[in-house]
Every structure is written in structure tokens, then in C-alpha cells.
Amino acid sequence: MRHAMIMAGGAGTRLWPLSRKGLPKQLLRFIPRPGGKRGDSKDPTSLLAIAARRIEGIIPLGNRYICTAEQYREAVLDELPGYKDSQVIGEPVARDTVNAIGLTAAILAKNDPEAIFAVLTADHIIEPIDAFRERLDIGFKLVEDDPRRLVTFSIKPTYPATGFGYVERGTPIRGVPGAEKKAFHVARFVEKPDLPRAEAYVRSGEFAWNSGMFVWRASTFLEALEKFKPESHAGLMEIQAAWGKRGAKSTLERVYPTLPKISVDYAVLEPAAKSSASAKSTPKFSVCTVLMDLTWLDVGSWPSYAETIEPDADANRHTGVGRLASHAAKNNLIVNDVKGHTIALLGVDDLIVIHTQDATLIMPRSKAEDLKKLHEKLDERIR
């Protein structure tokens, strides 16, 4: 049976000071609603709600799960009416993507040995939705056709990004309805290349961005985890054995923090792809990719968030309940979250100005990726 899990456990430090530990980016209602005017702050929605709507009509409501920090359980349930408490998988601590996915796989495999599940994220704006759903359906069909398949979704690049991982497409996959010219074996993964290599990848037409979204059979993923990251597998099997019984919560809280912190790309996908490529007989795992040639925006920083807001005549992008006054100022992002407060800009370009009740951030757009370093130096009460 088809299932889906949305990963929603990020801290969103590169969207501080709007995103905080108590209310991270995936729960912030700061994205214009689909169909509305970009930058309209009257009725915004959250990235999590947008991600949940994307899988409507393709995954039954009862088969949708959210993996998040346990501390966000109530906030997630408030944001997603209709979801039950059992559909929120709460991590006691963050242990990176391989363990969030592994925990979900362990739970689903115990309840449904035939479970196939999509791993999605609460960071993205993807349009058009119908095209996304079509590609997601192809991913499920690939795994239903061959349970050995580990499917990743890759995004057709629009520029030579150095902050994303890349997937190199190999031979096409045939014989699966709808997969023609959209599904391929993975030749290799490349993590965050330098600019010359990224430019070469884009020119080649054979590389795409790694989206961080996947489809696989729960039991197959656990087999891959046992082979390539046995430490995680052993702990998750202990959690699985206790799941649904008295003491399940205490087992999760005791074991989960001990699991090695590593991404699913490094822990499973890269070694699985290398193992498959070097196999002399039928490989145990087959790593594939479905190309998503659609609009994809990873809302992980202030410059990417700016893309959700319509610019004015001076290319300034302004949102929030406060006011803006500007003169001879261009290409700035202004988020004013304080009603009645005016931000005035004179003769400045390419700035990011974020104003909240208790903190104001001002930085050049070019320094947006360094915000994490500043965040680490902040007092805990303001983080």
C-alpha cells in the first residue's frame, strides 16, 4: 500500500529571526497561498500545509505521516486538521535524515510488510502541482514494478547551483507506464560541486539537482540500512520491536539519540549506487531517479524566500504587517512583522532587513549563507 512521510524537523536557522526554535520555518504562516498574489500577507500559509496539500488525491489521508521534533507535535496537529496523533512521528532529538526515514520505515514495515512510502519535505514550493503528482505516481509505479528500487527525484537545474547535490542520470528505465524519458538509473551522486563543475554539469544536460525526495519499499530501505549503516539499523530494530507496546516511548527516547547522525544520501544512496554499478550479477538494490522538470524552490534562506514575493518597481520585495518607505533603494528584501512600525531605506541596495518584535536582522544579500554562524553566537533566549 502507498504511504507518504513529510520530513518537518528542521530548525530553519537561515530564516532567523522570523524562524525560531519554538516556531520553525515549516510552521510559520509566511508563504502566500497558492493562487493568491505573491507577497500578500493577509492570509498566508505554512510550508508544511503546502506540502500536505501536494499529496492530496494521491495518498489516502490515513496513510500520510509527519516526522518532526516531538516538541512540535501539537503545533503540527494544529496546522493540519484531520491528521491524528498517530500520524505524527516525533523524534526526541534530531539525528539527520537517514534516521528520520529509518524510523518511519521501521514503523510502517511493522504495520504493513508491503508498505511503499514517499519521503517528502516541508521546505519546498513546487509548481505545477499536477506535474508533481504525476512524477510521484511514476515513483510509486517504479517500486511497485521492482521492490529493489530506491527512487530519488531530481530537479532539472535552472542555473549552476553550488549549494545543492547533483544526480547524474544513467540509462533510461523502460516498461513502466508513464516512465518513458522520465525515469533513469542513477550513474552517480555528486555533493555540492564548485562553480566550474556545476557549470559543466548544467551544460551536459545529464545532471539534475538532488531534491531530497524519495520513494521506496519500507522493508527494502531497512535492508539497505542494515548493509550500509548497521549501527542505525540495529537501534531502529530495537525501537521497532517495542513499538505499540508499553515502554515504546522510553525505548525511543533511550535508543534514538545514540544513532549516528548522517544524511540518507551519504549513508544509503551513494553506497547503494556504487554497489549497484560495480555488481557483476543482479544487484540487491537498484538506485533510480525520476526527473522533475518543473518549478522548484527550496525555501531555506532569505534570498530564496524573496522569490515568493512580487517585487516593486525598484525590485524591492516587502511583506509583513508593518510599513516600508524607500528612496534610491533597490533589490532589497524587507520583512516587517510589527504592525505600525515603519522601515525606511535610503540609498541602499541588496540588503535583507527582517524586523520582529524582539529582534532585527540587517545583512547584505551576499552574506545570507553565513547567517548560521551568527545564529550560533546568539543568546539561547533569542534563538
Side-chain angles (χ1 to χ4, degrees):
M1 186 176 291
R2 294 182 177 187
H3 305 259
M5 180 271 280
I6 299 172
M7 291 188 290
T13 54
R14 289 182 297 158
L15 287 168
W16 183 89
L18 211 57
S19 177
R20 305 291 181 95
K21 283 189 174 181
L23 190 66
K25 66 175 180 180
Q26 62 269 25
L27 293 168
L28 284 173
R29 294 179 181 176
F30 71 145
I31 304 294
R33 287 186 180 274
K37 181 181 178 182
R38 287 190 170 189
D40 185 355
S41 60
K42 292 181 180 179
D43 191 25
T45 188
S46 68
L47 287 165
L48 178 59
I50 291 172
R53 280 196 294 272
R54 272 199 296 268
I55 54 176
E56 290 178 356
I58 192 168
I59 305 294
L61 177 58
N63 291 0
R64 305 176 205 163
Y65 299 85
I66 311 297
C67 186
T68 187
E70 178 61 35
Q71 70 186 84
Y72 302 141
R73 176 179 294 273
E74 294 305 320
V76 166
L77 291 170
D78 287 343
E79 191 65 15
L80 300 178
Y83 279 66
K84 298 178 181 177
D85 185 71
S86 59
Q87 290 173 262
V88 178
I89 300 172
E91 296 179 285
V93 294
R95 301 307 294 168
D96 218 320
T97 53
V98 76
N99 295 303
I101 295 168
L103 177 60
T104 304
I107 294 168
L108 291 179
K110 184 169 187 175
N111 296 331
D112 175 11
E114 306 297 317
I116 297 171
F117 74 107
V119 178
L120 307 171
T121 68
D123 299 317
H124 304 149
I125 294 175
I126 303 172
E127 297 172 341
I129 292 179
D130 287 346
F132 166 80
R133 290 170 177 163
E134 178 201 12
R135 300 302 195 279
L136 184 61
D137 183 59
I138 291 171
F140 276 109
K141 287 176 179 176
L142 287 168
V143 179
E144 289 161 353
D145 178 70
D146 183 349
R148 296 178 305 121
R149 286 177 173 146
L150 303 171
V151 178
T152 180
F153 295 93
S154 50
I155 308 296
K156 186 175 181 179
T158 55
Y159 67 97
T162 58
F164 299 144
Y166 283 72
V167 180
E168 183 180 10
R169 295 188 297 280
T171 56
I173 296 173
R174 308 186 191 281
V176 176
E180 187 75 19
K181 297 182 180 179
K182 296 172 185 173
F184 305 83
H185 295 285
V186 169
R188 60 170 169 151
F189 292 91
V190 180
E191 276 300 311
K192 298 180 180 179
D194 56 25
L195 183 58
R197 283 196 299 158
E199 290 173 338
Y201 293 162
V202 174
R203 283 196 304 270
S204 76
E206 300 299 324
F207 288 79
W209 294 333
N210 189 355
S211 72
M213 299 184 289
F214 316 97
V215 173
W216 36 52
R217 192 167 176 165
S219 58
T220 300
F221 182 80
L222 292 173
E223 287 179 28
L225 197 61
E226 183 177 21
K227 179 176 178 61
F228 300 115
K229 206 66 183 172
E231 315 95 298
S232 282
H233 181 268
L236 290 168
M237 290 302 94
E238 185 176 352
I239 294 169
Q240 183 193 62
W243 201 259
K245 303 176 182 178
R246 289 184 62 183
K249 186 173 184 290
S250 61
T251 300
L252 178 65
E253 291 175 345
R254 174 176 56 82
V255 175
Y256 199 78
T258 70
L259 303 181
K261 193 172 184 179
I262 186 173
S263 75
V264 68
D265 301 281
Y266 284 128
V268 172
L269 287 172
E270 290 187 17
K274 291 176 182 177
S275 174
S276 176
S278 62
K280 295 181 180 179
S281 58
T282 302
K284 189 173 182 63
F285 309 106
S286 176
V287 184
C288 313
T289 189
V290 174
L291 181 61
M292 286 187 167
D293 47 347
L294 37 68
T295 302
W296 178 79
L297 179 64
D298 182 1
V299 188
S301 65
W302 286 120
S304 60
Y305 172 72
E307 296 301 312
T308 70
I309 303 169
E310 289 290 347
D312 63 17
D314 293 317
N316 293 315
R317 300 170 190 262
H318 172 232
T319 189
V321 295
R323 296 184 296 268
L324 170 67
S326 66
H327 177 73
K330 295 180 180 180
N331 200 34
N332 299 290
L333 169 66
I334 306 95
V335 179
N336 189 347
D337 202 39
V338 179
K339 189 174 182 180
H341 185 85
T342 297
I343 291 177
L345 301 181
L346 174 61
V348 292
D349 301 336
D350 300 307
L351 287 184
I352 291 173
V353 181
I354 315 297
H355 181 67
T356 69
Q357 290 285 353
D358 62 350
T360 301
L361 169 70
I362 303 171
M363 66 178 175
R365 181 183 293 262
S366 61
K367 295 292 184 180
E369 291 300 316
D370 293 336
L371 183 51
K372 275 189 173 183
K373 298 175 183 177
L374 172 64
H375 188 267
E376 292 170 357
K377 298 179 179 181
L378 297 172
D379 189 276
E380 185 67 24
R381 64 183 177 81
I382 203 70
R383 294 175 65 179

